């Protein structure tokens, strides 16, 4: 009997209640900001996160783009309110003035320029795994993770495979994705306020000899999947619960619902 792993997108992207999810709650998450387009809902996510980490030049994005997303507020007070807890990386992209601004507010800045074998994103994930002492479930939401340079995007997906015990969600304005690790049966509870209806199951890295799903328009029934033959893209939700059983780790991806699309499938 394999254990069941439950997946649920518990964050909200729509309304800013100004509430941090309680530390220790199953829904608590760490927000990681990368150096790519900041999605418009980042201020909302920021307020729900228990810890906020910028990967090197991700700090420039917060400094420059959050005030632009909140144009009715004074830019300097927005910058003081949206202060990263930690900035980590090889620090070749953060502007000195941005580094000094956040240092003066008490942000912890960690320079690992001697490590040229792991990306700034992976350095942030290593911080969460090894340094963050919070005992809450290690859920991580990463923004600026999809789109942009293709080698970076592949490195982001590789980190999911390197840290299968962290529950890392990569997020953009259009999609989210996470790993369904090998050795579990997976139950994905759809949060229809945030995600759907287009979705996919991708055998990155390793092909699958046998995958079985329920809850999709085009289910797999002990089907093989591999690049060069079948991968499941442009699939659709047929239920608010999707189950996946596979002999391989798979990437689950689902569209972010755009405003105006609020229809749950059942
Ligand atoms: N063009 C891009 N597209 C997608 N992701 C990016 C892009 N540029 C940076 N990132 C992400 O943001 C993180 C911080 O980026 P930064 O610009 O500070 O450094 P970099 O020198 O490009 O990245 P690294 O030092 O990690 O190779 C990177 O580790 C990567 O995860
Ligand atoms: C085989 C191999 N390929 C590429 C790099 C380059 N690299 C990978 S991560 C990183 C750090 C970027 O901040 C750099 C420079 C390497 N080291 N080893």
């Amino acid at each position: 009997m394999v254990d069941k792993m439950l997946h649920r997108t518990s964050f909200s992207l729509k309304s800013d209640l100004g509430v941090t999810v309680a530390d220790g709650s199953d829904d608590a998450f760490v927000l990681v900001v990368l150096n790519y387009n900041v999605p418009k809902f980042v201020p909302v996510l920021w307020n729900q996160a228990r810890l906020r980490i910028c990967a090197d030049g991700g700090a420039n994005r917060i400094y420059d783009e959050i005030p632009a997303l909140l144009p009715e507020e004074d830019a300097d007070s927005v910058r003081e309110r949206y202060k990263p807890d930690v900035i980590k990386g090889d620090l070749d992209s953060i502007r000195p003035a941005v580094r000094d601004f956040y240092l003066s507010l008490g942000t912890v800045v960690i320079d690992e320029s001697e490590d040229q074998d792991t990306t700034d994103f992976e350095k942030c994930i290593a911080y969460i795994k090894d340094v963050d002492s919070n005992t809450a479930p290690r859920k991580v939401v990463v923004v600026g993770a999809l789109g942009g340079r293709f080698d970076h995007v592949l490195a982001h997906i590789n980190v999911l495979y390197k840290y299968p015990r962290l529950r890392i969600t990569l997020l953009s304005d259009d999609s989210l994705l996470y790993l369904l690790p090998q050795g579990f049966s997976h139950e994905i509870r759809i949060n229809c306020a945030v995600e759907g209806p287009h979705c996919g199951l991708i055998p990155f890295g390793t092909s699958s000899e046998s995958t079985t799903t329920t809850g999709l328009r085009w289910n797999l029934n002990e089907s093989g999947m591999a690049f060069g033959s079948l991968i499941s893209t442009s699939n659709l939700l047929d239920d608010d619960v999707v189950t996946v059983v596979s002999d391989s780790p798979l990437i689950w991806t689902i569209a972010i619902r755009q405003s105006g699309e609020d229809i749950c499938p059942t």
Side-chain angles (χ1 to χ4, degrees):
M1 236 336 244
V2 290
D3 286 340
K4 184 188 280 186
M5 185 180 279
L6 210 65
H7 306 264
R8 189 169 60 91
T9 300
S10 48
F11 51 76
S12 162
L13 298 179
K14 291 223 171 92
S15 58
D16 189 350
L17 305 172
V19 179
T20 306
V21 177
D23 274 6
S25 143
D26 274 359
D27 292 342
F29 66 89
V30 180
L31 182 66
V32 177
V33 179
L34 303 183
N35 188 11
Y36 191 62
N37 298 347
V38 173
K40 57 185 178 302
F41 42 70
V42 163
V44 177
L45 276 179
W46 189 277
N47 290 324
Q48 295 166 63
R50 71 168 170 84
L51 187 74
R52 295 103 182 171
I53 305 181
C54 289
D56 193 358
N60 299 336
R61 299 287 179 159
I62 292 300
Y63 187 92
D64 296 337
E65 295 180 31
I66 300 276
L69 289 169
L70 302 170
E72 67 288 357
E73 295 184 52
D74 173 64
D76 285 336
S77 56
V78 167
R79 288 192 183 109
E80 284 176 20
R81 198 147 41 87
Y82 290 84
K83 172 190 86 68
D85 299 293
V86 178
I87 297 169
K88 191 175 173 194
D90 59 6
L91 307 190
D92 62 350
S93 300
I94 188 172
R95 301 195 301 273
V98 172
R99 184 197 58 210
D100 293 346
F101 176 80
Y102 289 125
L103 273 174
S104 77
L105 295 179
T107 297
V108 174
V109 178
I110 304 171
D111 178 350
E112 273 193 2
S113 47
E114 77 288 353
D115 173 3
Q116 290 297 309
D117 292 328
T118 63
T119 64
D120 294 330
F121 169 49
E122 188 170 348
K123 290 176 171 78
C124 293
I125 293 297
Y127 176 91
I128 295 163
K129 182 173 163 285
D130 298 333
V131 183
D132 171 33
S133 58
N134 193 292
T135 52
R138 304 301 180 85
K139 286 195 176 174
V140 184
V141 176
V142 188
V143 293
L146 305 171
R149 250 173 60 193
F150 192 57
D151 62 330
H152 271 317
V153 174
L154 291 179
H156 300 159
I157 293 170
N158 188 41
V159 165
L160 307 189
Y161 283 76
K162 285 179 88 170
Y163 296 83
R165 304 178 77 85
L166 295 181
R167 309 288 289 264
I168 305 173
T169 298
L170 305 182
L171 191 55
S172 73
D173 269 313
D174 303 303
S175 304
L176 66 76
L177 64 81
Y178 49 80
L179 180 73
L180 305 180
Q182 190 169 17
F184 297 89
S185 74
H186 299 279
E187 180 174 309
I188 302 166
R189 298 194 181 158
I190 304 300
N191 178 349
C192 60
V194 170
E195 59 198 1
H198 290 94
C199 54
L201 264 181
I202 318 294
F204 261 107
T206 341
S207 51
S208 159
E209 299 268 299
S210 174
T211 297
T212 299
T213 65
T214 66
L216 300 176
R217 175 78 58 84
W218 290 276
N219 280 306
L220 298 155
N221 185 11
E222 297 183 2
S223 315
M225 282 199 290
F227 278 85
S229 66
L230 174 72
I231 66 171
S232 176
T233 60
S234 299
N235 214 324
L236 283 167
L237 298 175
D238 217 17
D239 199 347
D240 53 10
V241 176
V242 172
T243 66
V244 180
V245 175
S246 179
D247 60 335
S248 296
L250 296 172
I251 294 291
W252 166 254
T253 180
I254 187 162
I256 298 296
R257 237 176 241 282
Q258 305 302 308
S259 49
E261 308 175 333
D262 262 333
I263 306 141
C264 291
T266 53

